[in-house]
Amino acid sequence: MHHITTIANLRTTLAPHRLQGRSIGFVPTMGALHAGHMALVERSMAENDITIVSIFVNPTQFAPNEDFAAYPRQEAADFELLQNAGVDYVFTPGADEFYPEGFATTVTLTGPALGLETDFRPHFFAGVATVVSKLLNCVQPTRAYFGEKDYQQLLVIKHMVRDLNLPVVITPCPTLREIDGLAMSSRNAYLSPEMRVKAALIYKTLNDCAQNLRAGATVQDVLKAGVERLQSHGFAVDYLALRDAASLEPITNLTSPARLLVAARLGSVRLIDNIGV
Ligand code: AMP
């Protein structure tokens, strides 16, 4: 596995592959890799001639009060995982090169970026969309892989790629979960053992809500009961919402396909998850 740290080196390294007509699969990450990330990597390796993974904890998607400084960084362990998986290239851009002095351009979003995460992290998707468009422009992959774990992010990226005519296929990948259903996340490392046990209730609540919706209960009643259940176990619920699965528009009746999305905090740890209904 080759480690690339500069954009110039990335371009000269990938150009011959492109000239030879090799497909390039790309998995952007913030590191602290787990089996969820590795599922994206394996999918990319199965579908492409070359796979490149980026690790970049993107400062512009964190608000000043968020966990940028504390975000888990474990480059040696990440490299070992990627190397053992047979990844061809890992790209770790430097923040100074990626955001040079005077950096002044940001992607502006509406559509699926409105509401949900944006109500609680207004800065977030502009930071994500800008860094992903930069990464896509640097790597110029054939396909890029994103997890349904971050469902709103996935739709934001799909819309951006369509709207800005970026020449890449966005491939969604299903959420990988722990045995008790908790969606794998780098931030799960912040959970105390007691919180970790409680955290499984998020996925259970999503599934019970989906089952009750399918059984004909009203959306309002189901969401109210779901929020109250999480609150009664000590969660602070940012949102529990039923949305159209393609547009993320709010829906008041169960139309197919729909998506249930949740963000809830246990102490200072914020967890998100979603399922199809
Ligand atoms: P992150 O490092 O959190 O920015 O995530 C990098 C990519 O991995 C994103 O496309 C995430 O949606 C995806 N991802 C994170 N956790 C999971 C998971 N549990 N299952 C599937 N994909 C995931």
Side-chain angles (χ1 to χ4, degrees):
M1 183 173 76
H2 296 275
H3 179 195
I4 301 172
T5 57
T6 68
I7 296 166
N9 192 359
L10 178 75
R11 293 211 155 114
T12 50
T13 304
L14 294 182
H17 291 302
R18 219 171 276 113
L19 274 175
Q20 296 290 322
R22 296 192 187 111
S23 58
I24 299 173
F26 176 46
V27 183
T29 81
M30 297 207 302
L33 302 179
H34 50 68
H37 296 112
M38 296 313 288
L40 272 58
V41 168
E42 277 150 30
R43 179 88 180 266
S44 170
M45 291 178 57
E47 295 180 354
N48 299 280
D49 299 317
I50 298 291
T51 286
I52 174 162
V53 176
S54 65
I55 298 177
F56 183 61
V57 184
N58 175 37
T60 68
Q61 68 193 63
F62 291 80
N65 61 327
E66 292 183 348
D67 57 343
F68 174 70
Y71 196 84
R73 289 164 173 86
Q74 45 187 61
E75 203 171 274
D78 289 348
F79 280 27
E80 195 177 331
L81 273 176
L82 297 174
Q83 169 108 38
N84 291 342
V87 164
D88 301 284
Y89 301 104
V90 60
F91 176 47
T92 60
D96 291 348
E97 190 190 19
F98 234 43
Y99 294 111
E101 190 69 29
F103 186 85
T105 307
T106 300
V107 177
T108 305
L109 307 152
T110 58
L114 299 178
L116 301 172
E117 285 300 290
T118 300
D119 288 343
F120 297 88
R121 308 181 72 194
H123 55 281
F124 177 64
F125 283 126
V128 168
T130 303
V131 79
V132 169
S133 62
K134 285 167 65 62
L135 287 164
L136 292 174
N137 283 332
C138 291
V139 175
Q140 298 178 38
T142 317
R143 300 180 189 84
Y145 295 81
F146 289 86
E148 287 182 348
K149 157 75 169 49
D150 302 283
Y151 191 79
Q152 189 177 12
Q153 170 176 290
L154 167 67
L155 291 196
V156 166
I157 300 297
K158 275 170 91 169
H159 269 71
M160 177 182 77
V161 161
R162 187 202 64 175
D163 294 348
L164 299 184
N165 310 103
L166 303 181
V168 58
V169 175
I170 301 299
T171 304
C173 300
T175 303
L176 248 79
R177 299 180 178 283
E178 305 287 356
I179 305 267
D180 64 1
L182 176 66
M184 290 182 182
S185 165
S186 306
R187 289 192 167 101
N188 292 350
Y190 298 150
L191 294 167
S192 68
E194 188 195 337
M195 285 171 165
R196 172 62 192 81
V197 173
K198 271 193 186 178
L201 192 68
I202 291 185
Y203 184 56
K204 285 196 188 77
T205 302
L206 284 177
N207 275 312
D208 291 346
C209 287
Q211 201 176 341
N212 293 337
L213 285 166
R214 288 191 200 102
T218 69
V219 173
Q220 202 186 4
D221 287 351
V222 165
L223 297 180
K224 186 166 173 284
V227 169
E228 286 170 359
R229 182 179 179 192
L230 288 169
Q231 285 171 338
S232 73
H233 287 83
F235 289 84
V237 180
D238 282 352
Y239 59 81
L240 172 65
L242 184 73
R243 296 294 177 99
D244 179 272
S247 67
L248 284 190
E249 293 280 339
I251 51 176
T252 47
N253 287 309
L254 184 57
T255 52
S256 189
R259 203 89 191 172
L260 258 176
L261 304 103
V262 65
R265 285 170 284 125
L266 267 179
S268 61
V269 187
R270 188 169 184 276
L271 301 167
I272 62 169
D273 201 351
N274 66 87
I275 59 170
V277 186

